[in-house]
Amino acid sequence: MGLQIDLHAKLKEYFGFDNFKGNQEQIIKNVLAGNNTFVLMPTGGGKSLCYQLPALILDGTAIVISPLIALMKNQVDAMRSFSASEGVAHFMNSSLSKSDILKVKEDVLSGKTKLLYVAPESLTKESNIEFLRKVRISFFAVDEAHCISEWGHDFRTEYRKIRPIVEQIGKAPIIALTATATPKVQHDIQKNLDMLDAQVFKSSFNRSNLYYEVRPKVDPTKDIIKFIKNNEGKSGIIYCLSRKKVEELTEVLCVNGIKAASYHAGMDASARSANQDKFLMEEVNVIVATIAFGMGIDKPDVRFVIHYDIPKSLEGYYQETGRAGRDGGEGYCLTFYSYKDIQKLEKFMQGKPIAEQEIGKQLLMETVSYAETSLCRRKVLLHYFGENYDEENCGACDNCLFPKKEFEGKEYLIDALNAILEVKEKFKVDHMVNILLGETDSMIKSYHHDELESFGVGSEKNAQFWNMVFRRALIANYIEKDIEQYGVIKLTEKGHEFLKEPKDFMLMEDHNFEESEEKLQEK
Ligand code: ADP
Ligand code: ZN
């Protein structure tokens, strides 16, 4: 109890807040207890406080590893504003002069500094490692920890060196924090930081005030104009893949009497920030942008986010749609989907290293699953983040509000699970689908999978149908993806039980976007 009262007092004293947000308090207690800690929390959840407060309380200096120089500076300024002492927080990165560095080192060694922010490339420097060995370190905080994983959206090689450097500097507890919560990324982080023993604090990623809809990309510009006219005066962001599309669409919107401005990395900095200000000051309602827009933008009353083009990953989709409804009010997330866009994205990847392409493709396939599903979109999205959403009907996605007819699919699930077992749980969904369909390709031949009992048992159905069965089985936890070899599917406990004693398994036909695309071509 004593600790609890103290913590609230410290929270008030240092930050002026009356209460902790989410599970901040438990996280902070775990850090104070000297344990390894892993925090998965959506953006805006209040991650920074989870290491700032313990750093101020504990003896010694906390080393905060953070990839973004601009954010680092903001955080240091914020910490200084809470404290009487300038030296309470410092940063070390390539922007500092020699004399700056001397001052920083002096403050740190004198014990004034409670938080030292270090860029990963500065951490790897031999001279800095030497220096840090002399410092009394309370703990290491690894911010934006997904940078460790190639499956995250911002992989950085220096992040892989953190663990060995921590060993060199001298062991101290680690707190790792990220807003990227896919089980694959989480596993990579814990393994790489050698903290599989860490206590994991995972907040829900559900954004209940957001409405999710995916529409076939038949005439997106017309749909968008109509949508905006129906939502007159509301603020919104439209994401496009290319700069060219951003400019084209802005122009079309303006011609149609909509107040819109562009934002992309090809514009010069002053034009970009002028347009950003126009959006923040509500001189324009709509900003048409590439994904360059949004990092660190804090406009709480964005009422809609439209994806003119499908994002490259569900991670990106979640971050971008997440910019709607920050104030807790409604947020409409509308995405236009066409398989042709997926093929375009695949083509863009072709020049990249093979491993990167393979990852890119897997991430893209998750997006396809999301776009084509007839299941609750919220359920699918949260499942991707390793979270089970148990409501039957979320009440705020197109599939829940306009569901398709269900039918019994027990027999199909039995076939699918048996096939997975027959190939010893060593293959990915697309290969399993080929087995069930009885399609012979080079991989089927080389593994002699055309000799399996399962080969061709599902030939009366098509690939889309079987993909849907696997998707539903994944969401319902009958099967899971292997964490080490991503994409390889295995039966869960529940899957094995199902085979022993099959239960009802309801299916719905997925949206057939191919059909609507064909219709479009006939037009
Ligand atoms: P994240 O890093 O998870 O995106 P931040 O650490 O930037 O989130 O915090 C988001 C916002 O929440 C900040 O404005 C921060 O000041 C505020 N905040 C954090 N903790 C609390 C709290 N206990 N009470 C009130 N506001 C808080
Ligand atoms: Zn739903």
Side-chain angles (χ1 to χ4, degrees):
M1 207 53 206
L3 185 59
Q4 199 175 336
I5 292 164
D6 263 352
L7 277 186
H8 274 90
K10 295 279 180 201
L11 178 70
K12 184 83 185 166
E13 178 190 340
Y14 291 123
F15 298 94
F17 298 139
D18 294 316
N19 291 299
F20 288 102
K21 240 166 119 171
N23 43 19
Q24 279 176 335
E25 187 173 4
Q26 294 91 297
I27 295 168
I28 289 166
K29 281 183 181 165
N30 199 55
V31 176
L32 290 175
N35 299 325
N36 286 334
T37 310
F38 191 16
V39 178
L40 301 130
M41 210 187 257
T43 307
K47 280 184 287 297
S48 333
L49 195 98
C50 298
Y51 56 81
Q52 287 168 340
L53 188 58
L56 292 171
I57 293 172
L58 289 169
D59 286 337
T61 307
I63 308 300
V64 184
I65 299 150
S66 167
L68 299 164
I69 293 186
L71 291 188
M72 222 180 248
K73 195 170 172 318
N74 287 347
Q75 288 225 359
V76 167
D77 288 343
M79 289 309 296
R80 284 176 183 164
S81 71
F82 296 132
S83 166
S85 150
E86 267 277 295
V88 67
H90 276 299
F91 60 81
M92 241 160 74
N93 61 36
S94 48
S95 75
L96 293 187
S97 69
K98 276 222 167 87
S99 63
D100 290 337
I101 291 178
L102 281 179
K103 170 76 182 135
V104 170
K105 289 187 173 174
E106 194 186 301
D107 279 355
V108 172
L109 289 176
S110 77
K112 263 192 221 163
T113 303
K114 306 308 290 178
L115 288 126
L116 178 62
Y117 289 80
V118 187
E121 49 282 0
S122 303
L123 186 71
T124 50
K125 267 203 194 146
E126 200 52 51
S127 60
N128 289 330
I129 295 175
E130 267 318 301
F131 165 70
L132 289 170
R133 288 167 72 111
K134 289 183 260 176
V135 177
R136 176 160 183 212
I137 292 169
S138 50
F139 61 86
F140 289 91
V142 183
D143 207 359
E144 313 286 347
H146 57 267
C147 294
I148 284 176
S149 172
E150 291 170 276
W151 291 83
H153 52 86
D154 192 14
F155 173 59
R156 292 170 189 242
T157 35
E158 294 91 16
Y159 256 69
R160 296 280 185 135
K161 299 182 190 142
I162 292 176
R163 183 73 222 186
I165 290 172
V166 165
E167 300 284 340
Q168 280 184 58
I169 292 171
K171 253 186 134 144
I174 298 183
I175 173 173
L177 311 96
T178 178
T180 298
T182 68
K184 177 69 186 156
V185 172
Q186 179 183 337
H187 179 77
D188 281 359
I189 294 171
Q190 284 190 269
K191 201 170 159 191
N192 197 272
L193 287 178
D194 192 15
M195 53 188 285
L196 286 163
D197 66 330
Q199 185 138 352
V200 179
F201 296 90
K202 185 166 179 187
S203 315
S204 173
F205 280 65
N206 185 22
R207 294 283 310 276
S208 55
N209 58 323
L210 300 188
Y211 178 81
Y212 298 109
E213 176 180 342
V214 180
R215 253 185 236 180
K217 194 170 182 176
V218 177
D219 198 345
T221 307
K222 197 171 125 210
D223 282 13
I224 288 173
I225 292 171
K226 196 166 153 218
F227 178 91
I228 297 175
K229 297 238 156 151
N230 286 336
N231 287 279
E232 199 145 1
K234 294 182 185 168
S235 290
I237 308 171
I238 305 175
Y239 284 108
C240 304
L241 213 57
S242 73
R243 298 168 184 183
K244 192 164 149 252
K245 191 83 233 171
V246 165
E247 289 181 353
E248 278 173 20
L249 187 59
T250 310
E251 210 178 301
V252 175
L253 294 183
C254 290
V255 167
N256 280 274
I258 294 163
K259 288 188 209 148
S262 303
Y263 187 104
H264 62 70
M267 296 161 60
D268 67 61
S270 64
R272 227 170 26 195
S273 76
N275 282 356
Q276 179 176 317
D277 287 345
K278 277 188 203 160
F279 182 61
L280 293 176
M281 307 306 283
E282 295 180 6
E283 280 171 47
V284 298
N285 296 119
V286 178
I287 193 111
V288 187
T290 57
I291 51 170
F293 181 78
M295 293 277 263
I297 297 291
D298 204 5
K299 184 165 170 54
D301 60 346
V302 172
R303 296 275 78 97
F304 59 88
V305 169
I306 297 176
H307 281 93
Y308 183 97
D309 301 296
I310 194 113
K312 280 187 282 225
S313 72
L314 278 184
E315 186 59 43
Y317 174 80
Y318 180 83
Q319 294 297 342
E320 285 139 32
T321 53
R323 297 189 178 119
R326 286 259 187 91
D327 56 4
E330 66 167 281
Y332 202 117
C333 309
L334 174 60
T335 302
F336 291 95
Y337 169 71
S338 131
Y339 200 79
K340 272 206 225 100
D341 282 354
I342 299 292
Q343 289 166 329
K344 245 194 261 168
L345 287 169
E346 274 180 339
K347 239 193 190 152
F348 285 156
M349 287 190 272
Q350 270 168 9
K352 299 196 169 156
I354 296 294
E356 207 176 306
Q357 276 189 44
E358 195 47 46
I359 289 171
K361 258 193 217 153
Q362 288 286 329
L363 294 176
L364 206 51
M365 285 307 118
E366 300 281 2
T367 317
V368 172
S369 287
Y370 175 81
E372 294 192 353
T373 189
S374 301
L375 290 166
C376 169
R377 301 221 188 260
R378 182 164 269 101
K379 202 180 206 122
V380 175
L381 194 55
L382 291 175
H383 182 267
Y384 179 69
F385 291 122
E387 190 173 331
N388 284 323
Y389 181 77
D390 290 328
E391 298 295 323
E392 265 308 308
N393 186 319
C394 82
C397 81
D398 50 357
N399 289 339
C400 282
L401 293 193
F402 313 104
K404 296 206 160 182
K405 264 223 179 84
E406 285 189 316
F407 59 93
E408 177 63 75
K410 195 191 287 183
E411 299 305 320
Y412 302 111
L413 182 58
I414 295 174
D415 287 344
L417 297 184
N418 280 329
I420 296 169
L421 291 181
E422 212 184 345
V423 296
K424 310 217 157 45
E425 307 181 300
K426 285 202 168 78
F427 292 86
K428 297 181 182 176
V429 170
D430 47 357
H431 186 71
M432 297 313 304
V433 169
N434 283 340
I435 291 175
L436 289 160
L437 290 174
E439 300 240 340
T440 315
D441 66 2
S442 56
M443 203 156 136
I444 296 272
K445 269 195 218 135
S446 64
Y447 285 102
H448 298 289
H449 281 172
D450 46 0
E451 292 158 24
L452 297 173
E453 266 187 47
S454 298
F455 188 74
V457 294
S459 60
E460 83 280 12
K461 295 287 181 188
N462 61 15
Q464 193 190 7
F465 178 88
W466 283 110
N467 271 305
M468 177 269 297
V469 172
F470 282 107
R471 223 170 270 158
R472 272 222 90 142
L474 268 169
I475 300 292
N477 285 325
Y478 288 108
I479 57 178
E480 64 189 358
K481 287 188 174 159
D482 189 284
I483 210 96
E484 297 279 354
Q485 297 165 274
Y486 194 78
V488 168
I489 46 176
K490 299 176 159 177
L491 267 64
T492 60
E493 192 97 2
K494 192 176 165 195
H496 286 288
E497 274 164 29
F498 177 87
L499 276 184
K500 271 185 232 143
E501 200 182 325
K503 292 197 247 352
D504 286 346
F505 180 65
M506 301 313 286
L507 292 175
M508 277 174 285
E509 293 283 356
D510 278 348
H511 296 290
N512 195 339
F513 288 112
E514 243 169 65
E515 231 168 57
S516 45
E517 273 171 43
E518 275 164 24
K519 268 188 218 138
L520 172 70
Q521 275 158 5
E522 285 162 15
K523 262 207 314 201

